[in-house]
Amino acid sequence: MNLQEKVLDYKDEVVKHIQGSVQIKSVLETVKEGMPFGEGPTKALNYFVDLGKELGFKVINYDNYAATIEFGEGEEVLGILGHVDVVPEGEGWEHPPYSGAIVDGKIYGRGTLDDKGPSVISLFAMKAIMDSGIKLNKKVRMILGANEESGSKCMDYYFNTLKMPQPTLAFTPDSTFPVTFAEKGIIHLKLKNKYSTLKNLSLMGGNAFNSVPERCELKVSKEFVSGIDEAVEKYNEGKEYKVACEVVGDNYVINSYGKSAHASKPTSGYNSVSALFEFLKLVEIRNEELKSLVAFFNDYVKMELDGESLGVNFEDNESGKLTLNIGKTTLKDGVLEVCVDIRCPVHVANQKVIDIIKERVNKKMEVEVCGNTAPLYVSKDSFLVSTLMKVYKDITGDLESQPIAIGGGTYARTVKNGVAFGALLSSQVDNMHQKNEYLEIDKIDTLLKIYVEAIYQLAK
């Protein structure tokens, strides 16, 4: 039986269930009884639970933190790790972000690429093998979580609280092809300060550590600043991403615009928070605390993406340069919080970076460590990486690509022998964590073939 042909029989069902899954808004919400990550992620997890049962798999829901969908027999287990939660949708979508609308051959919606679409595709690849009757030597177990985008507490609960067994080997379809053999360390810091004279000033930019802010708004008393109109005109000249200002009562409301992107690839975006403080350099500031805040950004942040002014612009040969993103930033009631996302080269210790930043900003900002995730590294010569590379090359005909290192963080870090494998092809636009996220329907054929063959080769 040709599995690569058989799996295409499920394509219509794949499209239908990608649409169905992305129609559930599964952003992290307030905890409710029996809903550890809120109502949306719980509904999305149970969408897959119900689908798994409908397709004939053995399914277990682990207290709405995670779920498993599996088939087969054997002592060893091939794990396929996916997540059903998504980052906030942001603004400016051409098609509603939770519609699953099909326009010009593309399924639009938050999660089509990251990671509901790839999870649905992988599930139907499992279905094709199960229905074929081919006997494998390993169980195949999809492990789905509901909190990947906000700390992976789902996998911590599954593996560490419940003490569920580790798969023998695993992949997660939550990155790009060909195979991700290394993932940088991830550090989340909050820079915090209090300002007694800025309690009526408000600043809001971005929505998460791991997204480049697309818009930042500052509301400031007209008494605190002057020369705004001239500064706007000078700043905007020749720039793609601009600032705009209007007078509302006794305040200026200043909006800085940028381009959203995943924090692991900050060069793909344009940071509106950093840009706002670049603009404020051109403004005459009459409040000493605001002046000190602007000076801090322009001394230690600037428009840099590598942390040079903080003294942490490290790099290594295998995973490249450190990246630094200013994510969600707020100043409300005089309390400042700046969320900083750092992706650290695999051969540079995370703690070294943290210690340098703490020393650098000492007495200027309080530093709170909100996340400190070790890097992932699997040898390019391992059975897992070499097998997946061969599958990718055989299906796509791309004989030149090599295993890659990324700044992104995936569920592969939660298992002892796992890597990220797809699901973004080189011919696709990477708009994960951005507006207008979509998956081209004509790419699903290739993805189904890749995943059905990968499961077979790793579990046979």
Side-chain angles (χ1 to χ4, degrees):
M1 179 179 293
N2 188 325
L3 285 173
Q4 293 177 36
E5 290 182 4
K6 179 176 178 57
V7 75
L8 299 183
D9 294 340
Y10 301 89
K11 182 176 178 180
D12 289 345
E13 286 292 296
V14 168
V15 171
K16 170 186 167 183
H17 288 292
I18 291 175
Q19 288 181 284
S21 63
V22 303
Q23 287 166 356
I24 301 169
K25 182 176 180 178
S26 52
V27 176
L28 179 66
E29 298 172 357
T30 304
V31 175
K32 296 182 179 180
E33 185 176 356
M35 300 179 181
F37 310 115
E39 187 173 350
T42 299
K43 286 179 66 177
L45 186 66
N46 281 282
Y47 182 94
F48 279 86
V49 165
D50 292 342
L51 177 58
K53 291 177 180 176
E54 179 186 322
L55 296 177
F57 293 103
K58 177 182 176 182
V59 181
I60 303 175
N61 183 336
Y62 295 91
D63 306 318
N64 288 325
Y65 280 83
T68 55
I69 302 172
E70 72 172 53
F71 77 98
E73 299 177 354
E75 294 296 319
E76 296 187 328
V77 175
L78 167 63
I80 303 170
L81 294 92
H83 68 88
V84 303
D85 61 314
V86 296
V87 296
E89 64 274 16
E91 302 174 339
W93 285 67
E94 294 175 10
H95 309 287
Y98 302 108
S99 64
I102 296 178
V103 181
D104 297 329
K106 301 170 183 175
I107 312 172
Y108 281 87
R110 177 61 85 223
T112 49
L113 294 178
D114 184 15
D115 183 46
K116 294 175 181 176
S119 296
V120 170
I121 291 168
S122 298
L123 181 60
F124 276 92
M126 291 168 57
K127 173 69 171 171
I129 296 175
M130 183 173 70
D131 286 354
S132 74
I134 293 174
K135 297 299 181 184
L136 304 176
N137 288 321
K138 296 182 180 73
K139 289 180 184 176
V140 180
R141 177 178 299 149
M142 176 172 280
I143 307 171
L144 292 165
N147 182 239
E148 194 269 353
E149 299 289 6
S150 304
S152 295
K153 296 179 182 67
C154 47
M155 290 296 134
D156 182 60
Y157 183 80
Y158 178 80
F159 285 117
N160 298 323
T161 301
L162 298 181
K163 306 296 183 184
M164 300 306 296
Q166 285 271 337
T168 311
L169 71 173
F171 69 82
T172 177
D174 192 23
S175 180
T176 60
F177 286 114
V179 181
T180 301
F181 78 100
E183 298 179 8
K184 293 178 180 178
I186 302 177
I187 304 166
H188 283 170
L189 305 177
K190 275 188 183 177
L191 306 181
K192 303 165 76 172
N193 209 344
K194 294 182 179 179
Y195 301 93
S196 60
T197 63
L198 300 182
K199 291 183 178 179
N200 293 323
L201 181 151
S202 68
L203 171 68
M204 180 65 206
N207 51 42
F209 275 99
N210 60 355
S211 289
V212 177
E214 185 172 35
R215 184 171 72 91
C216 180
E217 181 180 285
L218 170 67
K219 184 176 76 172
V220 58
S221 170
K222 289 193 287 186
E223 295 180 358
F224 286 4
V225 294
S226 63
I228 289 286
D229 292 340
E230 297 88 345
V232 169
E233 183 177 355
K234 182 176 180 181
Y235 180 85
N236 284 343
E237 186 176 355
K239 284 190 170 62
E240 180 179 1
Y241 302 103
K242 303 181 187 295
V243 298
C245 180
E246 63 177 332
V247 176
V248 180
D250 295 328
N251 298 301
Y252 288 114
V253 178
I254 304 167
N255 275 284
S256 168
Y257 297 94
K259 180 184 177 183
S260 64
H262 196 293
S264 65
K265 298 179 181 178
T267 55
S268 298
Y270 189 87
N271 196 302
S272 63
V273 173
S274 299
L276 174 71
F277 285 95
E278 281 284 302
F279 163 74
L280 291 174
K281 285 195 301 186
L282 304 176
V283 175
E284 182 182 346
I285 299 176
R286 298 170 179 165
N287 176 279
E288 290 303 313
E289 287 189 324
L290 180 57
K291 190 179 293 184
S292 71
L293 175 56
V294 173
F296 176 83
F297 263 82
N298 289 305
D299 287 343
Y300 295 101
V301 179
K302 304 176 183 176
M303 292 298 292
E304 296 171 357
L305 304 176
D306 61 358
E308 179 179 2
S309 293
L310 284 167
V312 294
N313 54 324
F314 298 109
E315 64 179 298
D316 64 30
N317 290 332
E318 288 199 285
S319 58
K321 294 182 178 181
L322 178 145
T323 63
L324 185 148
N325 174 65
I326 301 299
K328 183 177 181 180
T329 301
T330 59
L331 176 55
K332 184 178 181 181
D333 299 327
V335 178
L336 174 75
E337 289 194 349
V338 181
C339 296
V340 184
D341 180 296
I342 300 168
R343 309 294 166 124
C344 189
V346 296
H347 298 302
V348 177
N350 286 11
Q351 193 60 47
K352 179 179 180 179
V353 173
I354 294 169
D355 291 343
I356 290 172
I357 291 176
K358 282 185 174 181
E359 182 178 356
R360 198 82 162 191
V361 305
N362 185 33
K363 298 181 180 179
K364 297 180 178 67
M365 291 282 171
E366 176 189 345
V367 179
E368 177 186 349
V369 180
C370 301
N372 183 0
T373 305
L376 175 144
Y377 181 87
V378 178
S379 171
K380 296 179 185 179
D381 298 327
S382 66
F383 168 75
L384 180 59
V385 173
S386 60
T387 299
L388 292 176
M389 279 300 302
K390 184 176 187 307
V391 168
Y392 168 79
K393 290 181 176 182
D394 287 348
I395 301 297
T396 64
D398 174 8
L399 304 181
E400 303 300 322
S401 293
Q402 297 297 319
I404 59 173
I406 63 168
T410 74
Y411 277 155
R413 298 171 190 256
T414 67
V415 294
K416 295 179 180 178
N417 185 22
V419 295
F421 182 52
L424 194 74
L425 296 160
S426 61
S427 58
Q428 291 178 270
V429 175
D430 182 0
N431 49 25
M432 300 182 200
H433 290 212
Q434 300 180 46
K435 63 185 177 183
N436 300 321
E437 182 180 348
Y438 65 80
L439 171 63
E440 301 100 320
I441 292 173
D442 65 6
K443 298 293 191 296
I444 292 175
D445 295 43
T446 300
L447 297 174
L448 282 168
K449 290 178 181 180
I450 288 173
Y451 286 117
V452 78
E453 189 65 22
I455 295 168
Y456 173 71
Q457 292 296 335
L458 292 173
K460 69 180 182 180

